[in-house]
Amino acid sequence: MQADSVEIEKLQEELRILYEKRQMLSEIPGRVSELAVGTASWQAVQVLLEEQLQALEIQAVAMEETFAGHWAEIRRSRQELQAGRSQWEEGVQRLQEGAQTLEAGEKELKRQENSAALQIAEGYSALESNRQQMEAAVCKLSEGRAEYEKGKEDAERELSDGWKKYAEGKEDAEKELSDARKEIEEIAMATWYVEDRNSLSGYANIGSDANSIEAIATVFPIVFFVVAILISLTTVTRMVEEDRGLIGTYKALGFTNAETRRKYLVYTLAAGMAGSVIGTAAAFIVLPKIVFIIFRTMYLLPEYELHFIGTYGLCGPLLFVGGILVATILACQSELLHTPAVLMRPRAPRAGSRVFLEKISLFWNHMSFLNKVTARNLFRYKNVF
């Protein structure tokens, strides 16, 4: 029942809606007639508006032509106004510049008038000062003239007195001169001694000093040469003894005695050549300069030149290098005679022995322990000497 009632209500609602739509459809013909009347009146208004629009367009064209003419007149007037304004501004600027120039001219004229007045005042003061100085100079001139006259009289009087004294002194001088000539004639003839430069003490001292330096230069190289050979022998011997095991290893590995010896010969040769170069440079450059510096403190000597003497410069280094090479060969020879097995073992210490100083008990007992050790080392290792 409830479903049927609901459907009935829906149908009634649909009928009501249809009824309303029918009434709206019935009203449409009236509205269409009203719309036709409105359309006719709108078309009439539209025609009227088009006529008015055409009239307005004609008026607008005429007004635009009038406006363009007035606007051109305004632009021409504005241009003329701007040209007149620019001319007016130029005139004002020129007037201002003229005023500034006039003001500057007035200031310059005033400054020149002040300067001229100041210069005139200074000229008057300078003129007055010069007049006063001229008057003072005239007074000094008159005073100087009076002093000149007075001095002239005194000078003439002194000149006359001087002539008198000169005449008197001339007689005395001639008398003394004649006496002196007589004394000279009475002097016996002089004895002349002619000596060479060896008689000069300075030359003799330089010769003596040079001879002393030559004697020292003859002896010292020999001493240095012997000392260098001995030091090289000791150094190489100690180095070979320290490398005793290494030399044995070399021999065990198959190196020959010449190859092993070459290592130490190259070392000593390099050291000897370096020392020879340094020593030669010191001998021919450094030492002469030192000697001449010392000589110049005592004597006035001319400039000197350094010369290289080939005999001394080559023979000395060759003898030195040959000596240390011989010492190296001798030091290596004593070790290379042994077999590798002997060389790779430490050297047996030397047997202790009494030195001859121990037999002198009076001298030995008073020596310190360090001196005793030194004496034993010296006498046991003869090559230290």
Side-chain angles (χ1 to χ4, degrees):
M1 291 295 292
Q2 290 180 355
D4 293 337
S5 62
V6 171
E7 289 180 358
I8 291 170
E9 290 178 357
K10 288 182 179 180
L11 290 173
Q12 290 177 356
E13 183 67 27
E14 290 178 358
L15 287 174
R16 186 180 60 80
I17 293 171
L18 290 173
Y19 179 74
E20 291 177 355
K21 289 182 179 180
R22 190 180 65 179
Q23 287 181 353
M24 291 176 62
L25 289 173
S26 63
E27 293 177 355
I28 288 174
R31 292 182 180 180
V32 169
S33 62
E34 292 177 359
L35 180 62
V37 173
T39 302
S41 49
W42 177 79
Q43 289 177 354
V45 172
Q46 186 177 5
V47 171
L48 181 62
L49 289 174
E50 287 179 357
E51 292 176 356
Q52 292 178 358
L53 181 60
Q54 290 177 359
L56 289 173
E57 287 179 354
I58 294 170
Q59 291 179 2
V61 171
M63 290 179 68
E64 285 180 357
E65 292 177 355
T66 305
F67 177 76
H70 289 297
W71 179 252
E73 186 68 22
I74 291 170
R75 289 179 63 184
R76 186 171 61 255
S77 299
R78 182 179 293 176
Q79 291 177 357
E80 292 176 357
L81 180 62
Q82 290 179 353
R85 185 175 182 179
S86 61
Q87 291 177 0
W88 177 76
E89 290 177 353
E90 289 178 359
V92 171
Q93 186 176 2
R94 290 177 182 176
L95 182 61
Q96 291 177 354
E97 291 178 355
Q100 292 177 358
T101 305
L102 180 61
E103 185 178 358
E106 290 178 354
K107 291 181 179 179
E108 182 66 21
L109 180 61
K110 187 175 181 180
R111 187 183 63 79
Q112 291 179 359
E113 288 178 355
N114 294 332
S115 177
L118 182 61
Q119 290 178 0
I120 291 171
E122 290 178 355
Y124 278 122
S125 61
L127 181 62
E128 183 66 21
S129 177
N130 292 331
R131 187 179 62 78
Q132 294 176 359
Q133 291 178 0
M134 185 178 66
E135 291 177 354
V138 170
C139 293
K140 289 181 180 179
L141 180 62
S142 59
E143 293 177 357
R145 184 174 294 173
E147 291 179 357
Y148 167 74
E149 295 294 336
K150 182 179 179 181
K152 182 179 179 182
E153 294 177 357
D154 296 338
E156 290 177 352
R157 185 170 58 256
E158 291 178 358
L159 182 61
S160 62
D161 295 338
W163 278 111
K164 292 179 181 178
K165 292 180 180 179
Y166 168 73
E168 296 175 357
K170 183 178 180 181
E171 294 177 359
D172 296 337
E174 290 178 352
K175 183 177 180 182
E176 291 177 359
L177 182 61
S178 61
D179 296 339
R181 286 176 179 173
K182 290 179 181 178
E183 291 178 357
I184 291 171
E185 291 175 357
E186 293 175 358
I187 295 174
M189 286 298 295
T191 304
W192 292 86
Y193 297 95
V194 179
E195 297 178 351
D196 58 0
R197 61 184 179 180
N198 293 321
S199 60
L200 298 175
S201 60
Y203 184 82
N205 292 334
I206 292 176
S208 177
D209 294 339
N211 293 331
S212 301
I213 293 173
E214 184 179 3
I216 293 172
T218 303
V219 176
F220 271 30
I222 299 173
V223 176
F224 290 158
F225 177 74
V226 175
V227 170
I229 297 298
L230 293 177
I231 292 174
S232 301
L233 179 62
T234 304
T235 304
V236 175
T237 303
R238 186 177 294 274
M239 183 173 62
V240 172
E241 288 179 355
E242 291 177 355
D243 293 345
R244 176 185 175 87
L246 184 61
I247 294 172
T249 304
Y250 287 159
K251 294 188 71 174
L253 292 174
F255 288 93
T256 62
N257 292 341
E259 292 174 343
T260 305
R261 189 185 298 111
R262 188 188 307 158
K263 170 187 174 182
Y264 301 98
L265 289 176
V266 170
Y267 173 77
T268 54
L269 180 63
M273 292 299 294
S276 299
V277 172
I278 296 172
T280 303
F284 286 98
I285 298 175
V286 179
L287 291 179
K289 288 188 176 182
I290 295 173
V291 171
F292 273 92
I293 289 172
I294 296 172
F295 271 23
R296 281 181 174 176
T297 58
M298 299 182 295
Y299 310 108
L300 182 61
L301 298 175
E303 294 294 331
Y304 65 93
E305 295 181 358
L306 298 177
H307 297 282
F308 178 77
I309 302 175
T311 305
Y312 295 149
L314 297 177
C315 293
L318 291 176
L319 290 174
F320 174 70
V321 173
I324 62 175
L325 290 177
V326 172
T328 303
I329 293 171
L330 294 176
C332 294
Q333 191 65 29
S334 60
E335 297 294 338
L336 293 174
L337 293 175
H338 300 290
T339 61
V342 175
L343 292 173
M344 285 188 286
R345 289 197 300 269
R347 180 187 290 274
R350 295 182 179 229
S353 59
R354 296 170 62 88
V355 298
F356 78 95
L357 290 177
E358 297 183 26
K359 298 178 181 179
I360 307 173
S361 59
L362 181 63
F363 179 74
W364 184 260
N365 292 332
H366 288 83
M367 291 177 65
S368 63
F369 175 77
L370 183 61
N371 292 333
K372 290 178 181 180
V373 172
T374 303
R376 283 173 178 167
N377 289 332
L378 288 174
F379 285 103
R380 284 177 183 175
Y381 303 98
K382 304 296 191 300
N383 57 358
V384 175
F385 286 105

